[in-house]
Amino acid sequence: MFTNLADGRNNANRQCDLLILGAGPAGITVALEAAAKAPGLRIIIAEAGGLEPPSADELALYSGESAGSSRYSLTTTRLRYFGGTSGHWGGWCRPLDAVDFAARPQAGSTGWPINKPELAGHYAAAHRWLEIPDDNYDPDRLETELRDKLIDFSSSDWFQNRLFHFSPPTRFGTRYRDAIEQSSSIECLLNAAAIDYSYSANRLSSVRVGGLHGHQLDIQAGRVVIAMGGLECARHLLLMRQRGWAASGISSAKLAHGFADHFGLRPGILQLQADRIYQRTAGSQGPVMPIITPTPEALSEQAWQNTCMLLDITPAADKLPSGYTSHQALGFSGEDTWTYSVQMILEPRTNENSRVELSGQTDALGLPKIKLFWEIDPRDYQSAQNVFTRFTHEIARMGLGRGQVKPLDITLRQRSANGTAHHMGTARMAEHPGEGVVDRNLKVFGTGNLYVAGSAVFPSFGYSNPTMTIVALAHRLAEHLTDTG
Ligand SMILES: Cc1cc2nc3c(=O)[nH]c(=O)nc-3n(C[C@H](O)[C@H](O)[C@H](O)COP(=O)(O)OP(=O)(O)OC[C@H]3O[C@@H](n4cnc5c(N)ncnc54)[C@H](O)[C@@H]3O)c2cc1C
């Protein structure tokens, strides 16, 4: 059932068992999964926006200051209405690699408190939520004509082929609207942004919701899940700290530090066998995108950060100088080749300096705005450059082609970096308080009833887009909340 707070018709205070703040992929998955698993549970979703895309005034509630060495848009990288940012996401999907969960100093990570096998069933569920029929990411099972267009890495210890899949993309606000509407245990309050919090000892006792329309009400809940996206999550936990709540996760030095987004690097060009396909393409089970990644062994031996490579076909003018391609003795004639520009997606290293702060300015609802410092560690670029350099050696060794590595100007790269709207790391999951903000069950350390869903909890980031893992973790959280209800 939906109730629009802006109508002003049914604005009595509420009580419920489970309150979810935010109706993006994370919040909607938690709500519908919890309702399915525990039919008697009284669930409220408080969603800041309505059913239609936000007006300029509503989106301005996300505005703030970008103060880091890399610029960042706080408004165009997220949406504020029912369905959240899935209203314009691209649908690129891939689970994290097993290695991404491990402690890796080169990624600035002490590791996740859970491993990939623990998420297996939840990733399977996430494929259903994201409407991806195929959860096999091994390119060996692709049909022959596609497989034949990939580089044969069977003689390489360094590199391997992998895949992305694509969600249609699922727009959670339209795809799951009827399910929320028809649910007898979920009430979704629209135009109901969380704007204030009361706590008592270790429990969040009540949340005030309101909007630009001026109506407000209080909600008391047994348990509360913050599912507002990775930036608002940090903002609201900082707001709770500002209100004096000293629960260990909220007063943690890690809170709002370690903000990360994925970004790219074009490290150079390749002259390589013609007709290689490392771009989105139609597979028999749906669209796929082959990628090239270092093997887990190479990642660990070389202490590289994780990364993947896509190949774009470039105009002939970009061809390598003939000196690169004329070494017949090395088995590469340079004939029947194409020139490709390489696009890498990099794993950002956790950087404590990259952070969200509350600024001195307030938004139209009276909440302090965000001041974001997006700081990219220079080693991120160097690691990627090292991977690509090694890749050019490897394709030369295999007699497949040649590559040219472009000079790397890290300061210029940092200044011109573009994020990909993946807001991660601001409320890290950890085994122990002091190492992070939430525990392995996503409960904020030191609190009795406050949880976080979303990519804020990622303690490291891999190169995979986050929504598949967000939904898998949301599925796992719903199971935990209902099992321990
Ligand atoms: C252009 C674009 C392309 C993208 N492409 C991809 C892609 O291809 N693959 C991928 O994996 N990811 C992609 N993403 C990222 C993806 O959209 C997010 O990872 C995903 O939407 C996060 O889900 P979420 O539920 O955690 O947060 P969101 O989707 O941001 O939802 C948060 C919800 O909380 C609500 N909210 C905010 N503040 C409050 C408040 N105070 N009280 C109550 N509710 C509140 C918001 O209105 C919103 O509904 C893309 C993002 C963008 C912008």
Side-chain angles (χ1 to χ4, degrees):
M1 165 176 89
F2 287 102
T3 304
N4 188 351
L5 197 64
D7 288 349
R9 283 201 290 271
N10 183 7
N11 292 353
N13 293 336
R14 305 280 202 277
Q15 285 192 331
C16 61
D17 302 307
L18 178 60
L19 170 61
I20 298 162
L21 304 175
I28 288 177
T29 304
V30 174
L32 286 172
E33 285 288 350
K37 288 181 167 82
L41 209 65
R42 294 167 306 154
I43 301 171
I44 292 179
I45 306 175
E47 163 53 45
L51 293 175
E52 300 302 323
S55 67
D57 284 349
E58 286 165 329
L59 205 53
L61 295 167
Y62 274 164
S63 68
E65 192 182 339
S66 165
S69 51
S70 300
R71 311 308 291 171
Y72 206 90
S73 168
L74 293 166
T75 47
T76 59
T77 58
R78 53 210 179 125
L79 283 173
R80 193 177 170 102
Y81 76 125
F82 181 71
T85 313
S86 76
H88 65 188
W89 77 308
W92 292 36
C93 281
R94 187 179 155 75
L96 292 169
D97 292 335
V99 69
D100 297 330
F101 292 83
R104 286 171 304 136
Q106 66 269 33
S109 166
T110 51
W112 290 52
I114 56 175
N115 57 30
K116 191 168 177 186
E118 281 178 75
L119 273 188
H122 305 294
Y123 271 134
H127 283 79
R128 295 193 291 276
W129 279 99
L130 297 170
E131 302 175 286
I132 302 171
D134 185 6
D135 66 356
N136 186 335
Y137 290 79
D138 183 351
D140 284 348
R141 70 100 186 94
L142 286 177
E143 50 273 36
T144 318
E145 68 262 30
L146 256 183
R147 241 183 15 238
D148 285 349
K149 294 189 170 185
L150 305 184
I151 298 171
D152 178 3
F153 286 114
S154 52
S155 73
S156 175
D157 293 334
W158 293 86
F159 293 96
Q160 60 184 5
N161 293 312
R162 285 288 170 263
L163 294 178
F164 267 86
H165 286 303
F166 292 88
S167 167
T170 304
R171 309 271 176 232
F172 275 64
T174 46
R175 175 68 182 80
Y176 298 113
R177 178 171 165 176
D178 285 352
I180 301 273
E181 177 95 66
Q182 285 154 21
S183 170
S184 55
S185 53
I186 301 174
E187 179 183 21
C188 181
L189 293 173
L190 297 168
N191 295 302
I195 52 174
D196 205 0
Y197 301 91
S198 306
Y199 60 92
S200 168
N202 73 341
R203 297 185 74 79
L204 188 62
S205 46
S206 127
V207 178
R208 170 153 297 192
V209 298
L212 294 172
H213 44 73
H215 303 291
Q216 297 186 356
L217 61 85
D218 292 326
I219 308 170
Q220 290 183 327
R223 289 190 276 188
V224 181
V225 177
I226 299 181
M228 301 173 183
L231 289 170
E232 288 309 285
C233 169
R235 183 185 187 190
H236 282 253
L237 287 170
L238 288 171
L239 188 65
M240 291 176 198
R241 181 193 284 175
Q242 206 177 62
R243 299 281 190 270
W245 200 8
S248 55
I250 291 170
S251 53
S252 167
K254 304 286 183 195
L255 174 60
H257 286 248
F259 169 80
D261 193 352
H262 294 114
F263 53 95
L265 176 70
R266 287 195 179 271
I269 58 173
L270 295 174
Q271 194 147 353
L272 191 66
Q273 294 163 286
D275 204 18
R276 299 304 89 188
I277 298 281
Y278 288 94
Q279 285 294 321
R280 182 176 173 146
T281 186
S284 57
Q285 308 283 320
V288 289
M289 185 171 68
I291 50 171
I292 301 163
T293 71
T295 60
E297 295 75 21
L299 284 174
S300 111
E301 277 163 24
Q302 300 300 311
W304 286 333
Q305 292 159 246
N306 209 350
T307 183
C308 72
M309 290 182 266
L310 314 176
L311 307 186
D312 292 333
I313 299 155
T314 61
D318 282 350
K319 275 201 169 146
L320 291 177
S322 60
Y324 273 76
T325 57
S326 56
H327 284 283
Q328 295 281 352
L330 290 173
F332 172 64
S333 69
E335 286 162 18
D336 195 22
T337 59
W338 286 358
T339 306
Y340 303 86
S341 165
V342 176
Q343 167 74 53
M344 300 180 83
I345 305 173
L346 313 193
E347 172 180 44
R349 176 187 301 253
T350 299
N351 182 353
E352 300 294 339
N353 224 7
S354 189
R355 65 196 187 276
V356 175
E357 292 182 359
L358 298 182
S359 85
Q361 295 180 339
T362 50
D363 69 14
L365 294 175
L367 269 63
K369 290 188 174 188
I370 283 178
K371 186 171 183 179
L372 176 69
F373 297 80
W374 186 32
E375 303 288 349
I376 299 174
D377 192 309
R379 290 171 289 183
D380 295 1
Y381 291 110
Q382 196 55 60
S383 171
Q385 179 98 339
N386 294 345
V387 172
F388 180 63
T389 304
R390 180 68 234 184
F391 184 68
T392 62
H393 297 169
E394 194 63 350
I395 57 158
R397 182 193 68 75
M398 295 193 295
L400 299 176
R402 293 287 183 277
Q404 187 180 38
V405 184
K406 280 203 253 168
L408 180 61
D409 179 340
I410 291 179
T411 310
L412 182 66
R413 297 285 185 183
Q414 284 170 316
R415 260 197 254 123
S416 57
N418 284 314
T420 47
H422 305 160
H423 304 146
M424 304 178 288
T426 52
R428 272 170 273 173
M429 190 195 297
E431 198 65 72
H432 307 289
E435 294 168 356
V437 175
V438 302
D439 69 14
R440 57 175 12 253
N441 294 317
L442 306 183
K443 182 153 76 170
V444 177
F445 282 117
T447 73
N449 66 341
L450 180 61
Y451 295 79
V452 175
S455 46
V457 305
F458 293 9
S460 67
F461 316 110
Y463 60 81
S464 301
N465 300 46
T467 308
M468 166 71 67
T469 301
I470 291 173
V471 173
L473 288 174
H475 182 267
R476 178 173 173 271
L477 176 58
E479 196 170 278
H480 171 75
L481 291 170
T482 49
D483 284 353
T484 57

